[in-house]
Amino acid sequence: MRNGFVTATIVVAGVLAMWVSSPVTSAQSGQRRESGRSIHRDGWDRIVPDPSKDQNSAAAPIRDLTGIWEPTPGYRDGVFATGPKEYPSDGKREHQLPFTALGEKTWKSHKPGFGTTAVPIAENNDPFDICDPIGFPRIELFNLRAIQIWQNKNQVAIVYQNNQVWRNIWLDGRELPKEISEPRWYGYSVGKWVDDDTLVVQTVGLDERTWLDNVGRPHSDELKVQETFHRVNHDIMELTLQIEDPKMYTRPWVALNKFRLRLQPEWFDIREMVCSASEAAEYNKTVAAAAAPNKGTKK
Amino acid sequence: MRKMVGAIFLAGLGPWIVTVPVLAHHGNAAYDNKTVTVKGIVTAWVWTNPHSFLKFDAKDDKGNLVHWIGEWNAPSTLINFGITAKSFKAGEEVTVTMNGISKAGAPIGRVTKVVLPDGQELSMGSER
């Protein structure tokens, strides 16, 4: 009897110890969880499966971008802190953009926190640092995280994790506006299926106050952006993004070239990532401005 | 409160700072390239965008109380490395390693690792 009690006690204690130390329990408690390496979690704190074990290379559904997508192979591959993947601001000759004189002058008037022209925070004039709208195409050229796409026969809607903003792409055959009476942070977009797997989107009418990217590359009211969304297979989609702005650049240039996104499980919840003006102001004052050699409150 | 003061005092007995030059990180115009490790007491863990930051107090080698700020990544990144809004509590003793300290001489740095009282390390590993 006594031996049975001792054995039962040991078993219970063992199970309890395993339960307490398991990663799942750690996640549930909110106190203890593995650190030091990336274990990707969705907005509801669920662990996202390893892509290599969950790849579906079957054909994509016809003319359908629906789903939740994240950069791949790394979910942070779309951060692009120093500029878009094909043209980072790193001083390399091959990454020099074809600026016009106005483009060069406008870029130099922008004071970013990253890239070769980075300045201390007190001198920074990045509109997104004070939570002005990030705008398009910067929403895809900086901190491109998860996106959710819905569509019907008339339009595609893209919801972006970054700042929880959305934009519409019209598929109903309308043409881009000939005259823009009201520039918009996210512009006016129309799309056309060029084959069963490829949607090409044109966008104009973009507000000049936004930056193209995180290093302050400029654009004018003549900016035209072309996005190509191409589904390689069921799980993988490529995004190519071209900039055309004759006022700022002498020729079109490709900011993203077949940048890969991966379809996420249907249960994947997109985590909040909102720019709060009060939080940003507190950060700018308490951390960024205080750390800067040239101290001062960010305007 | 008495417990916290006592903890600060204990931390003050053994503050240790190690300086090692490492490569600078992109975009950290305000920071130099030194690595510093400081033991102190958490006063606040601010879980906000664009970046989170840990406030903690430690005594310098002259016994003066220094209010440190350790800047870390955005919550949407940290959460994937086991670091959450509840990772730190005020009054807790932590050992903070920072890679990049304010060029202005302010006690502000970029966090790379925090060791909790029970020895658990919180970090992003080799990622930044």
Side-chain angles (χ1 to χ4, degrees):
Chain A
M1 181 66 185
R2 188 167 178 275
N3 283 346
F5 177 75
V6 170
T7 303
T9 304
I10 291 171
V11 169
V12 169
V15 169
L16 195 59
M18 286 167 61
W19 182 78
V20 166
S21 63
S22 77
V24 173
T25 306
S26 299
Q28 287 169 346
S29 72
Q31 299 297 317
R32 277 283 177 271
R33 58 175 66 187
E34 185 177 341
S35 187
R37 70 184 180 97
S38 176
I39 300 175
H40 189 27
R41 295 170 185 275
D42 79 341
W44 277 43
D45 221 15
R46 300 178 188 190
I47 294 175
V48 181
D50 185 338
S52 63
K53 296 174 186 167
D54 190 39
Q55 195 75 34
N56 181 353
S57 57
I62 291 172
R63 300 190 175 201
D64 188 358
L65 304 181
T66 305
I68 300 161
W69 302 85
E70 273 201 324
T72 192
Y75 65 93
R76 296 172 70 209
D77 287 354
V79 171
F80 306 139
T82 57
K85 188 170 182 182
E86 302 303 320
Y87 281 94
S89 171
D90 57 8
K92 291 182 180 174
R93 189 185 181 112
E94 62 268 30
H95 296 150
Q96 300 300 312
L97 285 173
F99 286 116
T100 61
L102 176 63
E104 183 89 32
K105 182 182 171 189
T106 309
W107 185 38
K108 285 181 176 169
S109 75
H110 293 169
K111 308 295 181 189
F114 289 81
T116 57
T117 55
V119 299
I121 189 73
E123 300 162 30
N124 184 309
N125 60 9
D126 183 344
F128 192 53
D129 270 19
I130 53 173
C131 298
D132 268 3
I134 189 169
F136 180 81
R138 189 174 174 184
I139 191 71
E140 289 180 357
L141 299 182
F142 170 55
N143 250 330
L144 176 59
R145 302 280 185 138
I147 58 173
Q148 182 154 11
I149 299 180
W150 283 286
Q151 71 175 71
N152 59 30
K153 65 182 176 60
N154 286 330
Q155 61 177 306
V156 169
I158 306 180
V159 175
Y160 297 85
Q161 174 180 1
N162 189 4
N163 227 24
Q164 272 182 263
V165 296
W166 55 275
R167 52 187 277 259
N168 283 347
I169 298 160
W170 288 100
L171 306 179
D172 59 0
R174 71 181 69 186
E175 293 184 359
L176 288 169
K178 296 279 187 295
E179 297 222 354
I180 305 295
S181 55
E182 181 191 25
R184 305 204 302 199
W185 300 107
Y186 297 91
Y188 297 80
S189 302
V190 297
K192 186 177 180 183
W193 292 99
V194 296
D195 61 40
D196 286 346
D197 301 313
T198 311
L199 179 71
V200 175
V201 179
Q202 311 283 345
T203 301
V204 296
L206 292 150
D207 194 306
E208 289 181 276
R209 289 173 292 178
T210 59
W211 291 2
L212 278 187
D213 60 18
N214 201 44
V215 295
R217 269 74 170 261
H219 73 85
S220 74
D221 58 349
E222 291 187 15
L223 172 62
K224 185 173 186 178
V225 180
Q226 177 173 292
E227 296 159 282
T228 302
F229 295 91
H230 173 66
R231 285 194 75 155
V232 175
N233 57 36
H234 184 274
D235 273 12
I236 300 296
M237 178 166 67
E238 292 173 341
L239 170 60
T240 297
L241 191 149
Q242 177 182 273
I243 301 293
E244 183 179 348
D245 185 343
K247 277 190 184 172
M248 297 294 178
Y249 305 97
T250 57
R251 59 173 170 78
W253 53 280
V254 175
L256 299 179
N257 185 17
K258 297 182 179 179
F259 181 74
R260 290 199 153 203
L261 300 148
R262 181 176 173 271
L263 189 64
Q264 297 302 308
E266 290 181 0
W267 50 260
F268 184 100
D269 180 79
I270 297 179
R271 177 175 298 283
E272 264 195 359
M273 190 175 178
V274 175
C275 191
S276 150
S278 63
E279 284 186 359
E282 178 65 20
Y283 166 80
N284 286 331
K285 176 185 166 191
T286 306
V287 183
N294 180 15
K295 286 189 179 182
T297 304
K298 183 177 166 50
K299 295 178 176 64
Chain B
M1 187 61 194
R2 280 182 64 190
K3 187 178 175 184
M4 183 177 169
V5 171
I8 291 172
F9 176 71
L10 284 173
L13 289 177
W16 47 291
I17 294 180
V18 182
T19 304
V20 182
V22 293
L23 291 173
H25 183 66
H26 292 303
N28 291 319
Y31 296 111
D32 63 18
N33 60 357
K34 292 172 184 163
T35 295
V36 170
T37 300
V38 181
K39 185 179 283 190
I41 302 299
V42 173
T43 57
W45 170 226
V46 186
W47 182 254
T48 57
N49 286 313
H51 285 178
S52 58
F53 51 99
L54 182 67
K55 292 181 168 181
F56 58 102
D57 288 349
K59 287 191 176 177
D60 63 15
D61 52 7
K62 293 176 183 168
N64 302 312
L65 192 63
V66 179
H67 304 299
W68 277 91
I69 293 173
E71 177 182 6
W72 220 344
N73 287 58
S76 56
T77 294
L78 291 180
I79 200 81
N80 298 290
F81 290 85
I83 301 152
T84 75
K86 297 180 179 176
S87 285
F88 309 107
K89 297 188 185 96
E92 202 169 53
E93 185 183 69
V94 289
T95 303
V96 184
T97 299
M98 292 167 283
N99 179 347
I101 300 298
S102 161
K103 288 177 183 170
I108 302 173
R110 282 199 57 102
V111 175
T112 54
K113 182 175 74 176
V114 181
V115 183
L116 297 175
D118 65 0
Q120 192 196 4
E121 292 186 0
L122 299 180
S123 81
M124 291 175 57
S126 59
E127 295 193 46
R128 293 295 296 272

